[in-house]
Amino acid sequence: MYARKGYELVKDLASGEKGQLQPFNEDLFNQVVDQCTQHYLELQALIRKMQEESVDVRETRNADHYGALIHHLSLIRNKRCLMAYVHNRAEIIQNFAWKVGLELLELPEEIQEKLSSSEKNYFGKHSAALQSYMAEVGIDLNVDMVPPKDPYIKVRVLDDMGEGILLSDKTANLARHSMHFLKRTDAEQYIARGLMEELTG
Amino acid sequence: MATEESTSVMDDYETLISTTDVELLKRAWRNEKSAPEILQFEASLVQRIKEQIELAEQNVEMFEADNIDPLTVSLYQMDLDRTQFLLRSYLRVRLQKIEKYLFYILKTDESLNRLSRQEQMFARRCTDDLGSHLDETVLAKLPDNYQSILKQSITSEEDDMVPVPRLDTFVICKAKQYLSGLDFEPEYSMEITEMERDLLTFVCYKFVKKPLENGKIDLV
């Protein structure tokens, strides 16, 4: 049946968990693209046939016309499926910039493996656009993702940070694995750099 | 008598509180979060809030330097944090909407004009990036007549490949004053005729689009 492969491609996308990325299904994707080319060849062949029979291509409604129409519609359907596939993936990728990080290297390897090279490229460019917006406005938007509840939070130190780091109201010995109760504003910069994690619950 | 006086004082207090910039921003933020399409950017409000945040930051620093009771300082800090969150979240919700309806926003002047200058720059850049990504991955591999990003094929008369915000989704809203039929678009006069003040209403977004733009209702 025509356009079934396109449907499978979209199904592949829809069956995945929301916001999670599946590996780019290159194989199926290319099959759908090939089908498009095939439809187009047959469409042209039918139109040529009509021209050879010197019937009016625009007005005639014969079997060849409807054959061509079927190919045209199948092609469009395939195009929509392909675009939906790539576009929805692009939306998930845009979300990574918000939820995971703005640099490609910050993305965990499991995610990077699932991106096509054009998608990696797109992620980089999109993050750059976001960053330049933030620079223009002068506000970092990828911090403060959840409403603040308390000015103080509990954190665990993940890396050796040296002793005697000056916080705004005290100096603390931030040894690795030690836990502290700090001002959120003090801790945020270290959390962003991966030196601390917030303990919740 | 005494109770009457105190209620009127309370009312004054309520109206005062409800017109602070933070409260206005909260309103704008809620509306933006619930509306399916992008709303007018609150340029002057955002500017005022930014200045207030700066001022509050200076105040907190000054309090800290003056050795004022840490509890008091932390309350100010908390207030500041909340305002900052509101502002960031407001800008963020807008950017995410722009990301979602890129092509639609750029081709309709009405939407494009609602964006701040920086948002417009962002939208243009994103459209280029996403456009070239889609080109490279899909469109360049399709037959000539089917390569448009906005149209299904060259035989389409309209742009039928563009995701459009769904204005017929339902929203919950509350009127700030009594609304009569005149406050709504005439074309929906069959569907909606009036709305009581302060009554929570569950309604199709496009019916209340006009009073929302005129600031007569709030989305919840």
Side-chain angles (χ1 to χ4, degrees):
Chain A
M1 197 179 87
Y2 291 149
R4 170 163 292 180
K5 288 265 192 276
Y7 160 73
E8 280 171 23
L9 191 66
V10 176
K11 209 171 137 195
D12 192 57
L13 185 84
S15 65
E17 219 169 298
K18 206 167 177 282
Q20 300 279 328
L21 212 54
Q22 304 286 324
F24 192 90
N25 198 335
E26 197 112 9
D27 194 31
L28 191 56
F29 187 88
N30 288 335
Q31 285 180 37
V32 181
V33 172
D34 287 345
Q35 265 190 358
C36 289
T37 321
Q38 196 57 38
H39 281 306
Y40 193 58
L41 289 178
E42 292 190 33
L43 176 93
Q44 282 177 314
L46 282 173
I47 289 180
R48 262 200 310 278
K49 184 170 164 242
M50 285 168 83
Q51 281 164 343
E52 276 162 21
E53 288 165 2
S54 53
V55 288
D56 186 354
V57 180
R58 281 185 186 282
E59 296 299 326
T60 320
R61 296 283 176 270
N62 60 7
D64 290 335
H65 166 80
Y66 288 111
L69 186 64
I70 294 284
H71 283 298
H72 171 69
L73 292 177
S74 306
L75 210 170
I76 283 183
R77 189 178 156 79
N78 272 343
K79 175 183 175 182
R80 293 191 73 96
C81 291
L82 290 168
M83 290 291 268
Y85 186 70
V86 178
H87 193 262
N88 277 286
R89 286 177 64 89
E91 276 185 357
I92 301 177
I93 294 168
Q94 288 167 3
N95 249 320
F96 286 149
W98 292 108
K99 300 214 170 104
V100 190
L102 287 168
E103 302 292 329
L104 186 60
L105 294 174
E106 283 180 46
L107 293 186
E109 230 157 79
E110 306 94 85
I111 293 181
Q112 287 195 40
E113 282 168 6
K114 291 175 180 165
L115 301 180
S116 74
S117 72
S118 176
E119 282 173 330
K120 279 184 193 166
N121 198 349
Y122 172 66
F123 177 78
K125 283 198 206 156
H126 186 70
S127 302
L130 262 180
Q131 274 168 325
S132 76
Y133 170 85
M134 293 183 205
E136 278 276 331
V137 182
I139 303 175
D140 272 342
L141 292 182
N142 55 345
V143 295
D144 238 355
M145 298 300 277
V146 285
K149 286 217 169 68
D150 204 310
Y152 286 86
I153 54 171
K154 222 172 169 181
V155 295
R156 194 205 323 264
V157 180
L158 295 176
D159 210 340
D160 275 323
M161 296 173 53
E163 285 174 28
I165 287 177
L166 194 66
L167 301 169
S168 57
D169 52 353
K170 57 185 170 192
T171 55
N173 183 12
L174 302 171
R176 191 199 285 228
H177 302 316
S178 60
M179 292 198 270
H180 301 271
F181 196 58
L182 299 179
K183 273 195 179 170
R184 212 171 52 83
T185 42
D186 283 339
E188 241 169 20
Q189 49 169 325
Y190 298 114
I191 295 175
R193 275 152 56 193
L195 298 172
M196 286 181 185
E197 64 176 353
E198 183 177 353
L199 301 171
T200 46
Chain B
M1 195 64 196
T3 49
E4 234 171 65
E5 226 167 64
S6 73
T7 48
S8 86
V9 168
M10 273 313 282
D11 276 354
D12 282 353
Y13 179 72
E14 293 271 309
T15 42
L16 193 69
I17 285 290
S18 65
T19 50
T20 60
D21 283 340
V22 174
E23 209 52 40
L24 291 176
L25 180 63
K26 207 185 277 177
R27 225 181 256 170
W29 171 68
R30 272 203 216 110
N31 287 344
E32 194 67 70
K33 268 175 72 153
S34 317
E37 60 173 347
I38 195 133
L39 304 176
Q40 179 61 43
F41 182 67
E42 300 276 354
S44 57
L45 177 61
V46 166
Q47 188 53 39
R48 288 202 303 275
I49 287 283
K50 269 178 158 176
E51 282 161 13
Q52 284 168 22
I53 286 178
E54 248 171 63
L55 195 71
E57 274 173 346
Q58 285 169 11
N59 280 344
V60 168
E61 269 173 37
M62 222 163 63
F63 291 151
E64 274 172 352
D66 289 352
N67 278 330
I68 288 185
D69 175 23
L71 181 66
T72 320
V73 178
S74 81
L75 287 178
Y76 277 106
Q77 180 70 48
M78 201 155 70
D79 196 43
L80 173 65
D81 286 351
R82 286 181 178 157
T83 314
Q84 271 182 317
F85 168 76
L86 264 187
L87 179 60
R88 288 198 175 113
S89 186
Y90 173 69
L91 297 175
R92 207 153 44 212
V93 170
R94 292 180 58 87
L95 284 197
Q96 282 162 346
K97 255 189 219 173
I98 295 172
E99 286 177 341
K100 201 160 175 202
Y101 300 115
L102 266 183
F103 297 109
Y104 172 78
I105 289 177
L106 273 196
K107 78 187 187 69
T108 43
D109 284 341
E110 194 198 349
S111 302
L112 191 60
N113 289 333
R114 293 182 187 161
L115 271 49
S116 72
R117 188 180 58 82
Q118 293 92 341
E119 285 171 342
Q120 288 185 359
M121 273 167 52
F122 176 72
R124 292 220 166 79
R125 224 174 129 169
C126 285
T127 315
D128 290 347
D129 296 341
L130 185 59
S132 63
H133 171 50
L134 288 170
D135 256 338
E136 190 180 326
T137 322
V138 186
L139 297 170
K141 296 174 186 161
L142 296 181
D144 287 346
N145 299 345
Y146 298 86
Q147 288 187 349
S148 163
I149 202 162
L150 301 178
K151 293 186 171 131
Q152 300 193 41
S153 74
I154 50 164
T155 54
S156 307
E157 277 157 18
E158 293 169 27
D159 295 342
D160 47 10
M161 280 292 289
V162 180
V164 173
R166 300 200 43 176
L167 303 185
D168 52 0
T169 46
F170 277 76
V171 293
I172 302 174
C173 66
K174 203 185 208 174
K176 290 194 250 183
Q177 61 195 71
Y178 172 79
L179 298 183
S180 68
L182 295 175
D183 289 308
F184 302 102
E185 291 283 3
E187 56 178 306
Y188 304 125
S189 59
M190 292 299 282
E191 285 87 355
I192 191 161
T193 49
E194 56 172 5
M195 202 184 274
E196 293 291 339
R197 181 176 173 227
D198 274 349
L199 191 71
L200 273 184
T201 318
F202 188 58
V203 66
C204 190
Y205 174 77
K206 62 183 175 189
F207 299 162
V208 295
K209 185 169 145 66
K210 189 178 160 201
L212 177 69
E213 280 164 7
N214 293 333
K216 291 182 175 166
I217 63 160
D218 280 325
L219 303 184
V220 182

